[in-house]
Amino acid sequence: MKRAVVLLSGGLDSATVLAMALAEGFECHCLSFAYGQRHGCELKAAEAVFDSLRAAEFKIVDIDLRAFGGSALTADIAVPNAGSENAASPGVIPVTYVPARNIIFLSYALGFAEVNACRDIFLGVNAVDYSGYPDCRPEFIHAFEQMANLGTKAGVEGRGFTLRTPIIDLTKAAIIRKGVELGVDYSLTHSCYNPSAEGLSCGVCDSCALRKAGFAEAGVADPTRYF
């Protein structure tokens, strides 16, 4: 069986990507990261999604990105509401951008993939409904894949890696429809950047706004619990 590493955040996008990888016949080894994010309840969601879809392995890697801060997700910076001055807008990188996050996550995934003979790495980046993050663009994915195959023993020996981004060109509604088709239970997922202590979603941050709009456009009932 083909083996793959899947970056699993517990959000809607990565849950769909895991289901897509499994549908392609991959044995999926899932990585999540406890990086000091304020929405740490997403890790429980990631494990619930893993259990639901019955992937092969689930690991949580501890990284303290609060040591650097610089983001509303890892520092004492307010999470903006959708449509506010500091929220996502064309040409503006919002304060919820976490410096170098996908570079760091992919580097861990690459090391794990090399050790465990996985030649494919799946991640749920999206360049259509994305929030203006530079590390979600196709140009970044292509550059990282080149680097991965230049800077690893496996790559040099001809056992290189492929970064798979199956939802990168899909709208949020199309992602949801695909996930429903593949049996994803979206009630298990978590997308909110600023949840309550009980893990309820705020309903007003950029991530919640994109999620709400996606379910509405897809014609699928939103199972999210809001406060």
Side-chain angles (χ1 to χ4, degrees):
M1 180 178 286
K2 301 175 294 184
R3 296 161 60 89
V5 177
V6 180
L7 294 183
L8 184 64
S9 71
L12 184 157
D13 292 342
S14 67
T16 308
V17 166
L18 173 58
M20 294 171 79
L22 289 166
E24 285 190 42
F26 282 92
E27 177 186 283
C28 294
H29 300 262
C30 304
L31 286 185
S32 293
F33 296 88
Y35 62 93
Q37 65 270 50
R38 67 167 68 223
H39 54 308
C41 55
E42 69 175 4
L43 295 173
K44 290 183 179 179
E47 187 167 11
V49 169
F50 162 78
D51 287 337
S52 173
L53 294 177
R54 300 181 181 180
E57 183 178 13
F58 177 70
K59 285 181 176 291
I60 295 177
V61 179
D62 290 307
I63 312 168
D64 186 12
L65 295 186
R66 289 189 67 86
F68 306 129
S71 167
L73 303 188
T74 57
D76 295 326
I77 301 170
V79 174
N81 293 342
S84 67
E85 182 180 350
N86 292 322
S89 59
V92 177
I93 298 175
V95 296
T96 50
Y97 163 70
V98 180
R101 180 174 61 180
N102 279 351
I103 297 172
I104 294 167
F105 288 179
L106 281 170
S107 295
Y108 273 84
L110 180 60
F112 183 78
E114 186 165 30
V115 169
N116 290 278
C118 301
R119 298 183 64 176
D120 295 87
I121 299 173
F122 284 81
L123 65 159
V125 295
N126 182 264
V128 178
D129 284 340
Y130 86 125
S131 298
Y133 302 143
D135 54 2
C136 289
R137 297 174 300 159
E139 300 93 324
F140 165 73
I141 298 302
H142 177 68
F144 192 96
E145 184 178 274
Q146 286 187 309
M147 180 278 297
N149 289 311
L150 286 171
T152 58
K153 179 176 183 287
V156 170
E157 291 179 348
R159 296 175 286 109
F161 303 95
T162 300
L163 266 61
R164 296 185 176 268
T165 55
I167 65 167
I168 198 165
D169 294 322
L170 300 183
T171 65
K172 193 67 72 181
I175 294 167
I176 291 168
R177 292 190 193 104
K178 185 64 177 179
V180 169
E181 176 189 323
L182 294 173
V184 176
D185 182 353
Y186 285 121
S187 71
L188 301 176
T189 66
H190 179 89
S191 302
C192 181
Y193 287 155
N194 196 26
S196 69
E198 297 76 27
L200 301 179
S201 298
C202 72
V204 294
C205 68
D206 276 332
S207 188
C208 280
L210 285 171
R211 182 181 174 109
K212 281 183 173 181
F215 278 110
E217 185 182 343
V220 175
D222 184 355
T224 310
R225 297 183 303 138
Y226 297 102
F227 62 82

